[in-house]
């Protein structure tokens, strides 16, 4: 079983990212019996961000975060998307089997269009083709490694379904090459509130940075919004962002102890200090690793280089197979009907139709389009269909009396055509 997930390299990771994505993924990466792929989706980052320095900084920080949080590059595939030329190659092959209509329905694109329409602007104002193509690039990430399970948030499920569609379209045209991926949404993972109690998110400006210097983290935590109950007054855990954040880091016993402290009227200042200490206990050792890695970009580059070498060892031969499958291949190589469609095209076909006399007919045409036989007229299309079915099942003898052989065709030709048909089914 293969798990694969991408991390878009925009922004600086915060506690919400850590609790919601990084920590569970690192834990999952330690399970045995699975292969795990984690990559820095920096091509995806270009869709949202046109500041080169931010792209670079964010890639550095996010790589350092994941490693500091315990991801072991020896055990997993950890690489940078843009180090794999096969990703963009595959993106084009998939683009050519993807309906534009499918992409029109992507939530992110639709939201951008709806916003423009609501504002009275051109529907596609400021919408790049990159945003439109986002799901195809993402499908390439996934299909390139034949990943089975894609751990993602709810908002990404549609993208995985689109990747499935693209895999099926390609397989239908060119033969079974891709594995159909499935989204794996972990409902048990806590959604962390931010400083103001809403979901922690950079767009709400309510985040606690994951690896800010220690004293800065203490200050941010002191800024968590509470009510105005005085020390000694009992406090409520319901709706308390402070309590929820604590719970995401604490053991059951620690959480119960804080619950009692709330009831006993712990001062907010004291509760914030407890929270800071609890988070710091988990984060401090990682912060040291993080700071060391951020200070040593050459070491990060070395790790990513080794990671992409491992990934390319899989991607390169697979991409060669795919290129050949679509016909991008050495001109002297023998054209085998590699695909389901090509194999189908090499089969004879029955064609049913209605004549001006109101009766229903069918004819048998071979793979080169040559007419082999022609039926007599039937009262209904069902009757004609039944005879076709009989012929396919039992051969020329079964419906032969209803067939007239075309000039130059003998019964043996029809018999042979029917046999090829039966094998193709
Ligand atoms: N779009 C994903 C996100 O924003 C990131 C991503 C890119 C991804 N490629 C992927 C996730 C492939 C899973 C698989 O979260």
């Amino acid at each position: 079983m293969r798990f694969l997930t991408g991390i878009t390299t925009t922004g600086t990771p915060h506690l919400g990212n850590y609790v919601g994505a990084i920590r569970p993924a690192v834990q999952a990466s330690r399970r045995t019996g699975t292969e795990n792929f984690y990559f820095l989706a920096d091509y995806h980052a270009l869709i949202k961000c046109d500041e080169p320095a931010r792209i670079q900084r964010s890639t550095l920080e996010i790589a350092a975060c994941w490693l500091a949080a315990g991801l072991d590059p020896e055990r997993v595939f950890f690489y940078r998307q843009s180090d794999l030329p096969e990703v963009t190659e595959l993106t084009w092959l998939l683009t050519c089997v993807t309906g534009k209509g499918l992409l029109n329905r992507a939530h992110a694109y639709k939201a951008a269009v709806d916003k423009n329409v609501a504002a009275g602007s051109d529907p596609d104002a400021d919408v790049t083709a990159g945003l439109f193509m986002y799901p195809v690039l993402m499908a390439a990430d996934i299909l390139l490694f034949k990943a089975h399970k894609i751990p993602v948030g709810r908002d990404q499920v549609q993208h995985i379904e689109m990747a499935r569609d693209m895999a099926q379209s390609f397989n239908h045209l060119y033969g079974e090459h891709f594995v159909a991926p499935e989204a794996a949404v972990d409902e048990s993972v806590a959604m962390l509130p931010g400083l103001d109690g809403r979901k922690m998110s950079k767009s709400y400006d309510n985040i606690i940075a994951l690896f800010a210097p220690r004293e800065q983290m203490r200050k941010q935590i002191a800024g968590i919004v509470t009510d105005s109950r005085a020390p000694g007054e009992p406090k409520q855990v319901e709706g308390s962002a402070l309590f929820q954040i604590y719970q995401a880091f604490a053991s059951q016993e620690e959480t119960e102890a804080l619950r009692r402290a709330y009831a006993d009227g712990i001062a907010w200042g004291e509760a914030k200090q407890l929270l800071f200490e609890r988070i710091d206990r988990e984060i401090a050792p990682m912060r040291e690793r993080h700071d060391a890695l951020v200070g040593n970009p050459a070491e990060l580059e070395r790790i990513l280089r080794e990671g992409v070498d491992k990934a390319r060892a899989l991607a390169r031969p697979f991409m060669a197979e795919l290129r050949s499958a679509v016909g991008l291949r050495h001109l002297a190589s023998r054209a085998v009907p590699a695909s389901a469609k090509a194999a189908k095209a090499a089969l004879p076909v029955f064609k049913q139709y209605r004549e001006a006399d109101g009766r229903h007919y069918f004819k048998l045409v071979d793979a080169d389009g040559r007419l082999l036989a022609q039926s007599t007229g039937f009262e209904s299309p069902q009757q004609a269909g039944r005879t076709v079915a009989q012929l396919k099942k039992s051969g020329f003898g079964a419906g032969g009396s209803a067939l007239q052989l075309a000039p130059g065709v003998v019964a043996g030709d029809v018999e042979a055509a029917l046999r090829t048909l039966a094998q193709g089914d």
Side-chain angles (χ1 to χ4, degrees), residues 206-219:
N206 65 358
I207 65 160
I208 302 172
L210 177 54
F211 291 127
R214 206 161 170 270
E215 285 317 304
Q216 200 173 315
M217 182 179 264
R218 190 200 301 275
K219 276 208 198 93

Side-chain angles (χ1 to χ4, degrees), residues 4-8 39 41 44 48 81 134 137-138 141-142 150-152 155-156 159-160:
L4 176 144
T5 203
I7 310 132
T8 307
F39 67 94
H44 279 99
K48 297 182 198 159
Q81 183 188 32
Y134 188 111
L137 179 58
M138 187 159 155
D141 294 330
I142 296 169
I150 317 300
V152 282
D155 60 319
Q156 296 292 319
H159 292 146
I160 315 302

Side-chain angles (χ1 to χ4, degrees), residues 24-35:
V26 170
Q27 271 162 10
S29 76
R30 302 203 169 114
R31 80 200 133 195
T32 50
T34 63
E35 284 181 297

